[in-house]
Amino acid sequence: MSLIKWVDFQTLGDHRGSLVALEIGMEKAVPFDIKRVYYIYHTAEGVSRGFHAHHNLRQVAICVAGKCRMVLDDGVKREETWMSSPTRGLLIETMVWREMHDFSDDCVLLVLASEHYDEADYIRSYSEFLEGIRA
Ligand code: T46
């Protein structure tokens, strides 16, 4: 099964422009209760981010402006996708290594997270990640 799992959002557009609304309890849009929202922006040119996995955290990442390239790796396969649509979110499950590359100047990546911030949940070493997968 592919690591690239999109959730599509309903667009509430009219002649003035577009709007996406995400509400707690909208299971089809976000398959967990959202405990935290953060966004990544003004990423410096040529800088890549991520390079970690999470033990318990599930996330939906939405590129609300600009674009970037997301790489997901479950220790067996490595897949990538461009993120450039504000009407779909990329579901990133637990124990998936992620890297973000090629941010455009205007990229804003909004992330909905299933848990509060917890540094202890991060696996920041790829070799430890592989050990965790194989344990
Ligand atoms: C992820 C990818 C997609 C906080 O204090 N609270 C937070 O909620 C977050 C997300 C980060 N931080 C602190 C921790 C670091 O000192 O902000 C700093 C930058 O975080 P980090 O280096 O982890 O950022 P990215 O862009 O590498 O990764 C982030 C998320 O941390 C991560 O969960 O999946 O975006």
Side-chain angles (χ1 to χ4, degrees), residues 6-12 17-22 29 60-68 82-90 106-110 112:
W6 294 105
V7 282
D8 290 308
F9 307 133
Q10 188 183 0
T11 307
L12 307 167
S18 303
L19 186 155
V20 170
L22 301 173
V60 169
I62 308 155
C63 190
V64 294
K67 65 176 183 174
C68 67
W82 282 97
M83 308 219 27
S84 60
S85 171
T87 65
R88 64 191 335 208
L90 182 67
D106 58 346
C107 183
V108 182
L109 192 66
L110 178 76
L112 313 175

Side-chain angles (χ1 to χ4, degrees), residues 119-134:
E119 185 58 37
D121 188 62
Y122 283 72
I123 308 170
R124 293 193 183 271
S125 149
Y126 190 71
S127 55
E128 277 175 33
F129 164 67
L130 289 181
E131 280 168 27
I133 291 288
R134 288 162 190 166

Side-chain angles (χ1 to χ4, degrees), residues 36 38 40 49-52 54 57 59 70 92 98 100 109 111 117 119 122 124:
R36 176 167 53 108
Y38 63 90
I40 295 166
R49 305 188 62 128
F51 299 95
H52 58 257
H54 286 278
L57 186 69
Q59 302 192 109
M70 180 76 79
I92 308 175
R98 81 284 322 265
M100 294 161 282
L109 192 66
V111 183
Y117 176 71
E119 185 58 37
Y122 283 72
R124 293 193 183 271

